[in-house]
Amino acid sequence: MTLLHGAPTERPRVLSRGVRLVEHLRGFGTALALVGPDGVRLTYAQLAERVEQEAATYAGARRLVLLGGRADLPGVVAYLGALAADQVVLVAGEATLDGLAAAYDPDVVVGASGRRDVRSEPAHELHPDLALLLSTSGSTGSPKLVRLSAESLVANAAAIVEALGIRPTDVAALTLPLHYCYGLSVLHAHLMAGAALLLTEHSVVDDGLWREVREHGVTTIPGVPHTFELLERSGFADRDVPSLRYLTQAGGRMAPDRVRRFAELGERKGFDLVVMYGQTEATARIAVLPPDRTIGAPGAIGLPVPGGSLSVRPLPDDEAAVEPGVGELVYAGPNVMLGYAEHPDDLALGRTVEALATGDLGRLRPDGLWEVVGRRGRVAKVLGLRIDLDRAERLLAASGLVAVVADGGDRLVLGVVDQAGRVDRARVLALAGGVLGLPPTALALVVVAELPRLASGKVDAGALVVMSGPAVESVEPAYAGVSVDDVAGLYSAALGRRAGPADTFVSLGGDSLSYVEVSLGLERLLGHLPVEWPTATVASLAADHHVPERRWGRLVEANVVLRAFAIVSIVGSHANLFTLLGGAHLLLAVAGFNLARFQLTAAARTERVRHLLRSAMRIAVPSIVVIATVSLWTDGIGLRQAMLVNGITTRNWSEPGWYYWFVEAAVYLVLLVAALAAVPAFDRLERRHPFWLPFALATAALVTRYGIVGVPGDNLHRAHVVFWLFALGWATARASRRSHRVLLSVMALATVPGFFDEGARDAYVAAGLLALIWVPALRLPTPVVRVLGLVAAASLWIYLLHWQVYPHLEHQVPWLATVLSLAVGVAAWWLVERTSKRMGTWFGNP
């Protein structure tokens, strides 16, 4: 489909595209194609057979396939097989599969655990030209995707083969992940040329890689700038690699001094260094620096790849270039992407981009080579001065200081590695200040053993700024130096599971118990709470360095306050301290809100169902244990209550038989949503209409709220009667527009009044719903936030146990009855939480 003996002159029919890929591979016969990490060797004929077999498993309609880009034999076969079957393939890292699945609802998911066919028919319209989707971030799983056509893949692979002179006798060591466009282009180009690839698990610092290089006669080693830094440190200059023809470098700008050193080393040892420039949006490569010109022009990106062209677009007046002749580089060629995708609906689009505005600042040198001098947007404003960060790095390097420069807001952050020896901080700051014309107070120095890097090998500038600490001394120390380990440690402690940089609260199985602890902990760490924190990765939260102004108190999510307030109102009303009924009904709306934020944010349908069932279990199991224990000494509490079936086996309210109605209702409602989510059609509908579906369910549930459909007896405490409140909370979590919130407010104000017998109860629940709809967070005194967090997190245990505490004191000391009921519930929650984590179990709140 994509790897042919030459660029196509005309787009083939769907079937022939798949056949042509297999035929292309088969055409190289017994030539070596792949060597796996375990030493297994596949000829092109054998690879063609496996790809053909894999393609045959995609019978029926053309679908969206989300594939973990594993650089091993099964991973390569899975990728080529999906392409040969004319599927649209979204290649991602294993750690980002869940997030991309949630964003794009793929029809097939292929990961390390195997393949899962979500559905046999496509959920989205797929444009016939669309073949491949890659994240713009390469390794972080950004939901913004690059849409690539089959023709773009073919054109760029052919251009790389020609520019590099790849031979059928070449063997490339694939040390890069396939979800990174550079790694994928290495695979494409070498398979197009009939060359071989060594799929290795070793890094360039491992002796195991060099044993494989010698054993298999590797001729090509690709790398990003960090790869070459590792090569220098690991003594590559002293290695004997007689088979090596050339090293290729892409994935970001490498320091000219290092480029020259490797080029000169290659001259002495008989290999070339090929510097390349590219972007995912151009399918991979845009320009190649001819090896014979590298030593004389180590800072250039070279010449456009065959079939492509570069030009300079003048910058607007407010972005006037600091150097003459500089503008934005614009690339045109057959390998330019179709356009971006930010939503599943975008997969139906055709070409929306003709020429690629790279975002890089560059110019055509007098020697005819192209040069990148900076990046649009890599301009800081410090003390009123505009500073080009790329140019600042070049000036520092020319003065003997190798540093990464990042925008720290009102200062520049300099990252310096100390492995070569102790760094004299005062001297470095004085030198940098003199070169850049800035006082030391406008500079921050971070000295590290290793620069923080993204998975692609590029320096993580955001993390570097975080490491530099707060910009002003008045900021509380808790906000300084937040690391990935800090956030991961918080998640691990709260969720009882090991957390890594690519994990999210949702992917780790977080729900309404842990979110209270985690949200308050994050606010303390970061100084604020990002709106989308449940689906943000640990790494991105750690790099969120927007240090707030110093303010009193702490910010806490409104639903945490509502949950704490509701359980206090339940206990205080029962203990005769005051009368404010309706708290349990408000808790059901909060439960629906949290279910939508956590359980229904999971990626695949089966994972959603599993999360929902676990959530129901976390309510049901501790409830059954507590109620069964209480039944041993309480008349009126028996098997019906312990088995959570009282509400469906009795009609009229009676005490204490109906004490636990809220628990029953919460369990049934979560199970109902789990049953609905298990239906593929419902799952697709919910993903396409995340607000309107729960709103429609809330509207439909009014037939039970108003008694149009139902059974005689109690009409306030049964799951099917209160489902409308639960669905309103669900819809609130999905409300993305002001019009949505207005509509929900109207519904709440129209349907809550009259549900209860008391006007105050109606007003309380309606006011709580309006707060849930309109108030995202509140700033409260820090001691108050701590107490609210404990009470909200322990709300289920408070509800279950307060029936056994307050009756002993409600007539004598109602305030003490209330406080003790809350304290006993918090203590039980704390004990069970700590014990269950140690035992590998975890129970929580709705």
Side-chain angles (χ1 to χ4, degrees):
M1 169 185 171
T2 59
L3 306 174
L4 314 174
H5 285 296
T9 56
E10 156 181 8
R11 189 180 189 281
R13 291 178 295 112
V14 168
L15 179 61
S16 66
R17 289 166 65 184
V19 171
R20 289 179 68 183
L21 171 55
V22 174
E23 288 178 349
H24 168 78
L25 297 173
R26 189 174 287 128
F28 291 111
T30 58
L32 180 64
L34 301 176
V35 180
D38 52 1
V40 174
R41 300 163 71 92
L42 285 185
T43 66
Y44 271 89
Q46 292 168 329
L47 177 60
E49 182 179 358
R50 291 198 185 189
V51 170
E52 189 172 38
Q53 291 171 351
E54 180 70 14
T57 65
Y58 289 96
R62 190 166 183 254
R63 292 178 289 170
L64 176 61
V65 178
L66 174 59
L67 186 142
R70 295 175 294 123
D72 55 18
L73 288 178
V76 171
V77 170
Y79 169 69
L80 296 175
L83 286 181
D86 196 44
Q87 308 301 294
V88 173
V89 187
L90 167 50
V91 183
E94 289 285 341
T96 64
L97 288 182
D98 288 349
L100 288 171
Y104 282 89
D105 186 21
D107 307 305
V108 181
V109 178
V110 183
S113 58
R115 171 174 157 181
R116 184 176 72 255
D117 285 61
V118 179
R119 59 184 69 85
S120 59
E121 294 294 325
H124 316 297
E125 182 180 352
L126 305 173
H127 194 277
D129 289 336
L130 184 60
L132 180 66
L133 296 161
L134 294 174
S135 171
T136 55
S137 63
S139 57
T140 60
S142 167
K144 185 177 182 180
L145 303 177
V146 172
R147 297 183 291 113
L148 299 169
S149 68
E151 287 73 16
S152 293
L153 302 184
V154 171
N156 201 236
I160 293 171
V161 170
E162 181 178 348
L164 299 185
I166 300 177
R167 306 168 184 171
T169 54
D170 279 331
V171 180
L174 187 55
T175 57
L176 302 167
L178 291 186
H179 59 268
Y180 180 33
C181 73
Y182 184 13
L184 208 55
S185 73
V186 173
L187 176 73
H188 290 169
H190 284 79
L191 291 182
M192 171 169 279
L197 293 115
L198 168 65
L199 309 178
T200 179
E201 297 174 341
H202 295 296
S203 163
V204 293
V205 299
D206 297 334
D207 287 336
L209 172 67
W210 301 104
R211 285 194 297 270
E212 293 176 335
V213 166
R214 288 189 291 271
E215 178 183 354
H216 302 292
V218 167
T219 62
T220 307
I221 299 176
V224 297
H226 185 50
T227 305
F228 288 82
E229 182 180 338
L230 295 175
L231 285 171
E232 279 196 327
R233 291 189 201 169
S234 61
F236 172 75
D238 297 324
R239 291 190 184 275
D240 182 23
V241 192
S243 62
L244 188 64
R245 284 213 307 128
Y246 56 83
L247 302 174
T248 62
Q249 183 269 314
R253 182 178 182 272
M254 190 158 75
D257 283 349
R258 180 167 284 137
V259 171
R260 184 179 285 109
R261 286 198 300 273
F262 271 93
E264 290 172 344
L265 176 65
E267 273 196 343
R268 296 194 302 271
K269 305 198 75 168
F271 66 81
D272 287 326
L273 172 67
V274 184
V275 174
M276 303 185 294
Y277 164 73
Q279 292 185 356
T280 307
E281 289 85 344
T283 314
R285 306 279 71 83
I286 289 176
V288 174
L289 178 60
D292 60 350
R293 303 184 68 177
T294 302
I295 293 176
I301 62 171
L303 302 172
V305 296
S309 64
L310 279 168
S311 60
V312 171
R313 176 184 295 169
L315 297 173
D317 292 339
D318 59 349
E319 291 185 46
V322 295
E323 298 178 63
V326 170
E328 183 177 17
L329 289 181
V330 178
Y331 175 77
N335 52 316
V336 170
M337 65 175 177
L338 296 172
Y340 290 112
E342 297 183 281
H343 185 274
D345 292 345
D346 296 338
L347 305 183
L349 298 175
R351 179 168 295 280
T352 58
V353 174
E354 295 295 336
L356 175 63
T358 65
D360 286 325
L361 302 177
R363 63 185 170 192
L364 182 62
R365 296 158 44 115
D367 60 4
L369 299 176
W370 289 90
E371 180 180 42
V372 171
V373 299
R375 176 87 182 157
R376 287 190 72 178
R378 280 215 82 206
V379 176
K381 197 165 188 178
V382 180
L383 302 180
L385 302 174
R386 292 177 68 252
I387 300 194
D388 183 325
L389 301 183
D390 295 287
R391 185 167 184 268
E393 290 178 354
R394 295 201 304 276
L395 290 173
L396 292 173
S399 301
L401 177 60
V402 178
V404 173
V405 183
D407 182 3
D410 58 353
R411 61 192 176 151
L412 293 186
V413 176
L414 311 179
V416 178
V417 175
D418 66 353
Q419 283 197 342
R422 184 176 178 275
V423 174
D424 185 335
R425 303 177 68 93
R427 188 190 72 81
V428 169
L429 287 173
L431 173 63
V435 170
L436 302 177
L438 293 172
T441 55
L443 300 171
L445 179 62
V446 177
V447 180
V448 291
E450 292 276 356
L451 290 170
R453 295 184 183 274
L454 302 171
S456 64
K458 296 180 181 179
V459 174
D460 188 341
L464 197 64
V465 173
V466 171
M467 294 167 67
S468 71
V472 290
E473 294 183 359
S474 61
V475 177
E476 295 182 25
Y479 302 144
V482 178
S483 69
V484 170
D485 288 342
D486 293 330
V487 180
L490 171 65
Y491 276 29
S492 298
L495 305 180
R497 297 179 60 184
R498 186 179 298 246
D503 290 320
T504 70
F505 179 77
V506 170
S507 72
L508 290 169
D511 67 0
S512 57
L513 168 65
S514 50
Y515 95 91
V516 176
E517 183 178 350
V518 173
S519 66
L520 295 178
L522 278 178
E523 195 276 338
R524 178 183 58 81
L525 274 177
L526 305 179
H528 69 124
L529 193 64
V531 175
E532 301 298 332
W533 71 264
T535 54
T537 65
V538 167
S540 65
L541 289 170
D544 190 340
H545 56 274
H546 301 292
V547 181
E549 297 178 5
R550 185 169 183 170
R551 298 181 180 179
W552 69 277
R554 289 174 57 188
L555 204 65
V556 59
E557 290 185 333
N559 70 88
V560 174
V561 178
L562 286 174
R563 195 157 102 179
F565 190 84
I567 195 64
V568 170
S569 70
I570 291 171
V571 174
S573 296
H574 290 167
N576 291 322
L577 182 63
F578 50 75
T579 301
L580 184 59
L581 303 177
H585 289 83
L586 180 57
L587 276 179
L588 286 174
V590 174
F593 180 87
N594 287 324
L595 174 139
R597 291 183 73 200
F598 307 130
Q599 282 74 38
L600 286 180
T601 311
R605 175 172 54 87
T606 54
E607 189 176 357
R608 285 185 168 193
V609 174
R610 181 169 57 83
H611 283 190
L612 288 163
L613 292 177
R614 285 186 67 204
S615 183
M617 180 193 73
R618 292 171 191 161
I619 306 169
V621 171
S623 299
I624 290 171
V625 171
V626 169
I627 299 169
T629 303
V630 168
S631 71
L632 298 177
W633 62 74
T634 307
D635 292 336
I637 300 293
L639 186 62
R640 283 199 305 249
Q641 288 76 24
M643 298 304 295
L644 305 181
V645 295
N646 181 71
I648 59 176
T649 57
T650 59
R651 291 187 177 182
N652 296 314
W653 175 274
S654 63
E655 296 184 354
W658 280 71
Y659 277 176
Y660 303 101
W661 73 269
F662 166 76
V663 171
E664 290 187 21
V667 171
Y668 291 156
L669 293 175
V670 175
L671 289 176
L672 172 62
V673 177
L676 292 173
V679 179
F682 181 91
D683 182 69
R684 290 194 295 270
L685 195 62
E686 193 278 333
R687 295 176 191 271
R688 292 176 182 175
H689 306 287
F691 170 77
W692 291 108
L693 179 62
F695 183 80
L697 290 175
T699 303
L702 294 177
V703 298
T704 57
R705 177 261 179 266
Y706 286 107
I708 300 171
V709 174
V711 295
D714 181 89
N715 65 347
L716 295 180
H717 306 98
R718 297 180 191 272
H720 68 283
V721 176
V722 296
F723 177 61
W724 120 89
L725 286 171
F726 184 86
L728 274 180
W730 175 359
T732 298
R734 296 294 200 231
S736 58
R737 302 175 184 173
R738 182 181 178 85
S739 59
H740 292 166
R741 291 189 284 274
V742 170
L743 190 59
L744 289 170
S745 302
V746 171
M747 188 172 189
L749 293 174
T751 58
V752 172
F755 183 64
F756 304 102
D757 294 332
E758 306 93 349
R761 200 171 180 180
D762 289 336
Y764 174 28
V765 174
L769 284 171
L770 292 177
L772 189 65
I773 293 167
W774 290 101
V775 183
L778 298 168
R779 186 169 291 279
L780 298 172
T782 298
V784 174
V785 171
R786 290 173 181 158
V787 174
L788 286 176
L790 284 174
V791 172
S795 57
L796 175 61
W797 287 96
I798 293 171
Y799 184 87
L800 289 171
L801 296 177
H802 84 287
W803 305 102
Q804 305 304 308
V805 180
Y806 79 83
H808 302 291
L809 294 168
E810 62 176 319
H811 299 299
Q812 297 86 5
V813 193
W815 70 267
L816 185 58
T818 301
V819 172
L820 283 178
S821 295
L822 296 171
V824 168
V826 170
W829 162 77
W830 184 88
L831 180 62
V832 172
E833 176 73 3
R834 296 311 183 265
T835 303
S836 65
K837 286 176 183 175
R838 292 192 185 98
M839 295 175 62
T841 59
W842 183 32
F843 304 115
N845 285 316

